[in-house]
Amino acid sequence: MAVIRNITDSTLRLKLQTGTDHQGNPVFVNRSYRNIKMDAEDQKVYEVAELLAGLQTFTLNAIERIDANQLIEQ
């Protein structure tokens, strides 16, 4: 039997650097945006993330797209 993967949820996460700790290590915070359309193109999601990052006070460190999946036996 073959197993297929179905995306059940998609989240956009911006990783922002808020500063540094007392040892000089970077400190990060995540901003998450849920319910991204599952069929949205990665390029479009990236472009939206850049626009959202421009509205933030802190420096953008990373853009992540997190997909939750369900495995189904076919």
Side-chain angles (χ1 to χ4, degrees):
M1 293 271 179
V3 175
I4 59 172
R5 175 177 61 115
N6 286 336
I7 299 174
T8 58
D9 186 40
S10 190
T11 301
L12 170 64
R13 183 165 58 193
L14 304 180
K15 184 176 179 182
L16 305 166
Q17 183 175 348
T18 60
T20 56
D21 64 12
H22 65 280
Q23 296 177 339
N25 299 317
V27 176
F28 299 103
V29 66
N30 294 321
R31 298 279 187 253
S32 297
Y33 302 91
R34 295 191 48 144
N35 300 320
I36 303 298
K37 286 188 175 184
M38 292 174 267
D39 60 347
E41 297 175 20
D42 288 338
Q43 180 66 39
K44 296 294 183 185
V45 173
Y46 186 86
E47 290 169 5
V48 168
E50 285 186 319
L51 291 172
L52 289 170
L55 300 173
Q56 304 296 317
T57 305
F58 304 115
T59 304
L60 179 65
N61 181 268
I63 298 171
E64 300 172 342
R65 181 175 183 169
I66 303 158
D67 295 327
N69 300 287
Q70 180 181 29
L71 299 177
I72 300 170
E73 189 172 34
Q74 192 173 23

